[in-house]
Amino acid sequence: HLQKRGVQARASVGADVKLSFFNFDDPQIGGYTPERVALRRAIILAYDNGEEIRSVYKGQALPAQSLLPPVIYGHDPGLRSEMSGADLKRARALLDTYGYLDRDGDGWREHPDGRPLLLRRASLPDSRQRAINELWEKRMKALGLRIEFEMGNFGELIKKTLAGKLQMWGYSWNVSTPDGDFFLGMAYGPNAEQSNDARFKLAAYDRLYERQRVLPDGPERLALMRQCNHLMLAYAP
């Protein structure tokens, strides 16, 4: 279909964007402090998107550089995210630097203050998700992080994420609109408990998002959208 915005009309292309989110209200992985940002970035760096594409999706996907995919307005074709490919060495170095160490010798890292660190990822109980869970477990073990899986059907997990009860989850969104505003809105603070599953609330981001959505398409709006995108990459919701 065509959707009119400003003076341009763009054709929508059928595609799915698969994403994972971290709950920013969660006491294990949430928050805006440097050490929590480092923890989330390390998890992303350790996970192997390329292996998921090869083994689970049989090569029928591309690693995302951000939440703004090539088929929608706002996509930056020159953007290459440092977190779009697996890098266990860098992931381990991040955790070491910010004090996520194995302090008791049991093989698992603890929080910088010594508290136990446990990741919990929600999952559907199907064969594809089981394969993805096995990859998550393998990669987190290599990083020294314990991870458990919370199984449930889609409706149950949606209710839990809207209530802020899930720590991590991942699913797909169909690109049904050719404009990037929808995906940027997934990190907009007032959308927490709605499409903002990460419950990400950053005033600087919100102001940029509000400014871009009232502008017509063009260089000024694109610049604001890309600033939003870079803040999402930096804080890793």
Side-chain angles (χ1 to χ4, degrees), residues 1 7 12 28 30 33 47 49 68 100-101 107 109 113 145 161 165 169 183 196 208 215:
H1 67 279
V7 296
S12 167
Q28 293 278 349
T33 58
Y47 187 71
N49 284 318
L68 300 180
Y100 292 94
L101 307 174
R109 297 177 186 265
D113 62 6
L145 297 181
T161 191
K165 294 181 179 180
W169 191 23
F183 287 101
N196 181 353
L208 289 168
L215 291 172

Side-chain angles (χ1 to χ4, degrees), residues 16-81:
D16 288 333
V17 175
K18 187 173 183 296
L19 60 93
S20 293
F21 68 83
F22 301 100
N23 181 354
F24 268 58
D25 290 342
D26 184 84
Q28 293 278 349
I29 62 169
Y32 304 82
T33 58
E35 65 271 15
R36 292 301 176 86
V37 173
L39 174 59
R40 292 190 297 270
R41 290 170 68 91
I43 292 169
I44 296 169
L45 281 166
Y47 187 71
D48 195 339
N49 284 318
E51 177 58 29
E52 181 179 324
I53 289 171
R54 289 188 295 272
S55 63
V56 179
Y57 292 96
K58 310 306 179 186
Q60 300 301 302
L62 294 171
Q65 304 300 326
S66 76
L67 266 183
L68 300 180
V71 296
I72 63 174
Y73 187 79
H75 170 70
D76 182 356
L79 176 64
R80 292 295 178 269
S81 170

Side-chain angles (χ1 to χ4, degrees), residues 38 42 87-99 109 143:
D87 193 332
L88 265 174
K89 184 177 180 180
R90 288 186 60 206
R92 290 173 180 142
L94 261 179
L95 294 187
D96 291 345
T97 298
Y98 283 89
R109 297 177 186 265
L143 186 57

Side-chain angles (χ1 to χ4, degrees), residues 121-126 129 149-162 166 169-171:
R121 182 174 167 86
S123 172
L124 300 175
D126 57 55
Q129 287 300 317
F149 299 95
E150 180 176 351
M151 311 302 288
N153 64 47
F154 190 77
E156 292 170 342
L157 296 181
I158 284 291
K159 288 179 181 178
K160 287 184 176 181
T161 191
L162 291 175
L166 297 183
W169 191 23
Y171 49 81

Side-chain angles (χ1 to χ4, degrees), residues 113-174:
D113 62 6
R115 289 182 299 116
L117 173 54
L118 176 64
L119 304 181
R120 292 181 298 102
R121 182 174 167 86
S123 172
L124 300 175
D126 57 55
S127 58
R128 174 177 284 180
Q129 287 300 317
R130 283 195 294 271
I132 292 172
N133 292 349
E134 288 174 3
L135 181 58
W136 269 98
E137 188 170 29
K138 173 185 175 183
R139 299 298 293 186
M140 294 305 103
K141 182 178 181 181
L143 186 57
L145 297 181
R146 292 182 300 161
I147 186 168
E148 295 178 353
F149 299 95
E150 180 176 351
M151 311 302 288
N153 64 47
F154 190 77
E156 292 170 342
L157 296 181
I158 284 291
K159 288 179 181 178
K160 287 184 176 181
T161 191
L162 291 175
K165 294 181 179 180
L166 297 183
Q167 185 190 95
M168 300 166 55
W169 191 23
Y171 49 81
S172 297
W173 274 105
N174 181 260

